[in-house]
């Protein structure tokens, strides 16, 4: 432990014990210090004085605005040491990554909504009194700052992994992307590393940590950092819900055009994906830190998917697209991982909902096989007066099913079975697979399940899902 940090602890506490907390992403040292009947605090040493000043300044500003950040108990800014209130061991990432369902359950989704709402409060209210002169290493995401991130990607990832590229052409793409990012509005306080690992969860709610790299920039950068965190594994459905929540909330502060909002998120997502890979390269390939080595594949997939999802918009970055192709060819040519991230010839996944009473089991005309899942074991909203005349596509019915754990368990098991067949069919080169969901009337349970499974395959490299509801005309 740093001697100055030890002196600071001794000044205020007796009979203490310290255990170092793993910190993968910086040179800072964190310790959990226990004292007096298992009470605890967090002790921090930072080798960078400017970073310490930024953290202490931002924390004091946020505290005054009632933002939940770690309370500074004692500090010695000259020695770069400080003591913080202990917020516990559980991060929002822990909650998200240990979920037992494909999509976020209601409780976890509510936590994510809350995190986004608090982020917007920081960006538009609490940050009004931020002293940006204390921001480190830059006061705003200007041209120089953005190019730092892009060159971080170039030198610490591309060159270290041996991916060949045209340096002049790549620089042109970087300049183009930088110009676009700088024009994005609104620009307020940007956390810079707003991800679920940096949000602590305890009985008192959500708490923000690790915002010392904050500066002024495009607000949606933080949203992209949160939604596309490489290892959080949000489904497309969850991302869509969170995107909509952010858009609705930000429009309480200003008028943000929806089309512009969607476009802006795409561009900052690409920047963030490259910055993240630069960090993984530096921390993993140079510093040999295990967490970042383990995250490399997820980061690469995230980067590739960012371009795959926005092919039309990103045609203006020809060299970045070439880098993607070379990255795939050079690193995944003889690996099954290539199948997971490269869009080749997806299987035509036909999903059908039907009524046992009126339709009977649909026939798969191509293979004569596939799956039929009986939804009659699930809770039936038909017996609810306000849901009886609605369908599985209506919001009230969707909410009804999402609140039933047995429905989610059913869909998790369905997805596992279908995934196994999809992998097998993909390897064999089969062109199609049909799965059907049946219930008594073909209006509620089967419809909901068919649509839900289709949404889970949205963006998949292996399948292209389509849905047909046989009883829709009679609703």
């Amino acid at each position: 432990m740093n001697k100055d940090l030890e002196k600071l602890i001794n000044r205020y506490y007796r009979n203490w014990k310290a255990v170092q907390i793993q910190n993968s992403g910086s040179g800072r040292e964190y310790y959990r210090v226990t004292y007096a009947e298992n009470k605890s605090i967090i002790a921090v040493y930072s080798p960078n004085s400017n970073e310490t000043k930024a953290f202490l300044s931002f924390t004091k500003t946020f505290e005054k605005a009632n933002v939940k950040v770690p309370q500074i108990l004692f500090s010695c800014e000259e020695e770069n040491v400080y003591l913080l209130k202990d917020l516990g061991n559980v991060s929002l990432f822990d909650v998200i990554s240990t979920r037992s369902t494909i999509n976020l359950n209601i409780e976890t989704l509510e936590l994510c909504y809350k995190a986004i709402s608090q982020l917007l409060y920081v960006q538009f209210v609490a940050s009004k009194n931020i002293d940006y002169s204390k921001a480190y290493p830059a006061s705003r995401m200007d041209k120089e700052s953005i190019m730092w991130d892009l060159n971080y990607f170039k030198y610490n990832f591309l060159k270290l992994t041996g991916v060949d590229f045209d340096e002049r052409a790549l620089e042109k793409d970087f300049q183009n992307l930088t110009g676009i990012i700088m024009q994005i509005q609104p620009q307020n306080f940007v956390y810079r590393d707003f991800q679920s690992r940096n949000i602590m969860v305890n009985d008192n709610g959500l708490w923000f940590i690790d915002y010392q790299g904050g500066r002024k920039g495009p607000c949606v950068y933080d949203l992209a950092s949160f939604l596309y965190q490489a290892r959080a594994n949000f489904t497309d459905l969850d991302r869509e819900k969170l995107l909509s929540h952010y858009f609705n909330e930000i429009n309480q502060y200003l008028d943000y055009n929806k089309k512009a909002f969607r476009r802006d998120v795409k561009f900052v997502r690409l920047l963030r994906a490259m910055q993240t890979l630069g960090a993984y390269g530096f921390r993993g390939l140079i510093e040999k830190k295990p967490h970042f080595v383990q995250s490399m594949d997820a980061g690469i997939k995230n980067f590739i998917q960012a371009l795959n999802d926005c092919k039309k918009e990103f045609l203006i970055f020809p060299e970045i697209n070439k880098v993607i192709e070379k990255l795939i060819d050079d690193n995944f040519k003889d690996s099954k991982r290539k199948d997971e991230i490269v869009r080749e010839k997806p299987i035509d996944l036909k999903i059908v909902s039907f009524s046992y009473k009126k339709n009977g089991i649909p026939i798969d005309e191509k293979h004569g096989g596939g799956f039929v899942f009986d939804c009659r074991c699930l809770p039936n909203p038909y017996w609810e007066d306000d849901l009886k005349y609605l369908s599985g596509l209506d919001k009230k019915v969707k909410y009804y099913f999402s609140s039933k754990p047995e429905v989610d368990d059913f869909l998790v098991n369905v997805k596992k079975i279908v995934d196994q067949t999809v992998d097998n069919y993909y390897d064999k080169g089969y062109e199609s697979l049909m799965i059907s969901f049946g219930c008594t009337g073909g209006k509620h349970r089967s419809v909901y399940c068919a649509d839900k499974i289709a949404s889970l395959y949205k963006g998949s490299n292996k399948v292209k899902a389509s849905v047909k509801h046989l009883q829709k005309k009679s609703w």
Side-chain angles (χ1 to χ4, degrees):
M1 179 184 286
N2 174 271
K3 290 183 178 179
D4 292 313
L5 183 57
E6 191 172 343
K7 287 179 182 178
L8 183 64
I9 299 171
N10 280 325
R11 190 181 304 168
Y12 299 102
Y13 300 94
R14 295 288 180 269
N15 301 319
W16 55 269
K17 295 181 180 180
V19 176
Q20 188 165 9
I21 301 171
Q22 183 180 6
N23 177 47
S24 301
S26 74
R28 293 185 297 278
E29 296 177 13
Y30 291 89
Y31 298 87
R32 175 166 279 108
V33 177
T34 57
Y35 67 97
E37 298 180 355
N38 294 323
K39 293 182 180 179
S40 64
I41 60 169
I42 300 298
V44 186
Y45 163 69
S46 172
N48 189 310
S49 60
N50 289 321
E51 185 182 77
T52 299
K53 291 175 183 177
F55 176 79
L56 296 177
S57 175
F58 293 167
T59 300
K60 291 171 185 176
T61 300
F62 291 150
E63 278 186 325
K64 289 178 182 178
N66 297 316
V67 178
K68 288 188 174 181
V69 292
Q71 180 187 357
I72 302 169
L73 302 173
F74 305 101
S75 66
C76 182
E77 191 172 314
E78 296 77 14
E79 306 299 340
N80 298 321
V81 293
Y82 46 93
L83 307 180
L84 304 173
K85 180 180 179 180
D86 190 352
L87 300 176
N89 293 311
V90 180
S91 71
L92 183 55
F93 175 79
D94 295 325
V95 177
I96 291 169
S97 59
T98 57
R99 65 187 186 268
S100 59
T101 57
I102 299 170
N103 292 305
L104 300 179
N105 59 37
I106 294 175
E107 292 79 11
T108 306
L109 189 61
E110 286 296 330
L111 285 177
C112 292
Y113 286 155
K114 190 173 182 180
I116 287 173
S117 297
Q118 290 182 7
L119 169 66
L120 283 160
Y121 176 78
V122 168
Q123 292 179 329
F124 287 91
V125 180
S127 63
K128 287 181 178 178
N129 294 316
I130 283 284
D131 182 359
Y132 286 104
S133 70
K134 295 288 183 17
Y136 176 81
S139 61
R140 67 181 305 117
M141 286 181 65
D142 55 12
K143 181 177 181 180
E144 183 180 43
S145 174
I146 296 169
M147 287 300 294
W148 287 344
D149 285 345
L150 294 171
N151 285 320
Y152 196 42
F153 165 72
K154 179 170 72 174
Y155 291 110
N156 290 310
F157 179 75
L158 289 183
K159 292 203 170 186
L160 289 180
T161 54
V163 178
D164 186 37
F165 61 91
D166 183 325
E167 191 136 11
R168 187 182 295 275
L170 188 63
E171 179 72 14
K172 187 175 179 180
D173 282 359
F174 283 177
Q175 294 285 350
N176 191 5
L177 178 58
T178 299
I180 292 170
I181 299 294
M182 289 175 62
Q183 295 300 314
I184 293 175
Q185 297 294 333
Q187 300 220 358
N188 288 330
F189 182 82
V190 174
Y191 199 111
R192 275 278 296 175
D193 199 16
F194 187 76
Q195 53 160 306
S196 55
R197 289 185 188 277
N198 291 334
I199 303 171
M200 305 306 294
V201 182
N202 59 39
D203 292 338
N204 295 317
L206 301 179
W207 298 75
F208 291 174
I209 62 172
D210 281 2
Y211 40 77
Q212 57 276 333
R215 63 200 69 170
K216 198 165 190 175
C219 294
V220 290
Y221 183 91
D222 281 342
L223 177 64
S225 300
F226 185 75
L227 294 184
Y228 298 100
Q229 180 184 354
R231 300 187 71 182
N233 292 322
F234 287 123
T235 64
D236 289 333
L237 181 62
D238 287 331
R239 286 198 183 106
E240 186 59 36
K241 289 178 181 177
L242 296 171
L243 272 166
S244 297
H245 180 75
Y246 185 96
F247 178 75
N248 292 334
E249 292 277 306
I250 199 173
N251 271 280
Q252 296 180 23
Y253 297 98
L254 51 78
D255 185 17
Y256 204 149
N257 176 270
K258 192 169 187 178
K259 187 175 181 181
F261 167 73
R262 295 280 180 165
R263 177 200 63 213
D264 294 344
V265 170
K266 290 176 181 179
F267 285 110
V268 294
R269 175 189 176 186
L270 179 61
L271 172 63
R272 177 66 180 178
M274 288 191 280
Q275 187 275 337
T276 300
L277 276 178
Y280 288 173
F282 180 72
R283 302 295 181 187
L285 300 177
I286 295 177
E287 294 187 339
K288 309 294 183 184
K289 293 186 175 181
H291 163 70
F292 292 94
V293 175
Q294 293 164 9
S295 299
M296 190 72 73
D297 275 1
I300 292 171
K301 291 177 186 178
N302 200 26
F303 176 39
I304 293 171
Q305 200 64 54
L307 281 167
N308 281 337
D309 288 348
C310 312
K311 283 185 176 179
K312 291 182 180 179
E313 293 90 338
F314 293 162
L315 288 174
I316 58 175
F317 307 125
E319 191 60 24
I320 294 177
N321 279 284
K322 288 179 183 177
V323 162
I324 286 292
E325 295 302 322
K326 291 174 182 176
L327 181 64
I328 293 169
D329 291 340
D330 292 348
N331 293 278
F332 301 102
K333 180 179 282 186
D334 299 318
S335 171
K336 288 186 178 180
R337 289 181 298 165
K338 182 175 180 180
D339 287 341
E340 297 174 6
I341 57 178
V342 184
R343 297 179 188 269
E344 295 181 346
K345 293 181 179 179
I347 296 168
D348 181 14
L349 180 63
K350 296 181 178 180
I351 305 173
V352 179
S353 73
F354 70 95
S355 163
Y356 277 101
K357 188 176 181 180
K358 299 177 182 179
N359 306 121
I361 298 174
I363 297 173
D364 180 4
E365 296 178 357
K366 285 203 171 183
H367 288 294
F371 295 101
V372 178
F373 296 101
D374 191 340
C375 303
R376 291 176 293 185
C377 62
L378 302 176
N380 190 356
Y382 177 84
W383 303 111
E384 302 287 334
D385 290 341
D386 60 334
L387 304 179
K388 183 174 184 177
Y389 298 105
L390 301 178
S391 79
L393 300 179
D394 289 300
K395 287 183 179 179
K396 288 185 178 180
V397 177
K398 288 181 179 180
Y399 183 80
Y400 170 87
F401 283 125
S402 67
S403 66
K404 305 291 184 183
E406 59 266 48
V407 176
D408 205 45
D409 290 342
F410 177 81
L411 290 171
V412 168
N413 291 324
V414 167
K415 182 74 160 45
K416 286 180 180 178
I417 293 171
V418 176
D419 280 347
Q420 185 176 1
T421 302
V422 164
D423 291 341
N424 182 271
Y425 276 26
Y426 193 86
D427 291 341
K428 290 181 177 180
Y430 290 175
E431 295 181 354
S432 69
L433 172 65
M434 181 174 174
I435 60 174
S436 302
F437 294 88
C439 64
T440 305
K443 184 177 181 180
H444 294 104
R445 293 167 289 183
S446 61
V447 170
Y448 174 81
C449 290
D451 257 46
K452 191 73 170 179
I453 288 294
S455 72
L456 297 178
Y457 282 106
K458 184 179 179 182
S460 168
N461 305 308
K462 293 187 176 182
V463 304
K464 183 178 180 181
S466 61
V467 185
K468 185 176 183 180
H469 303 299
L470 296 185
Q471 279 298 109
K472 192 170 184 179
K473 290 182 179 179
S474 66
W475 294 349

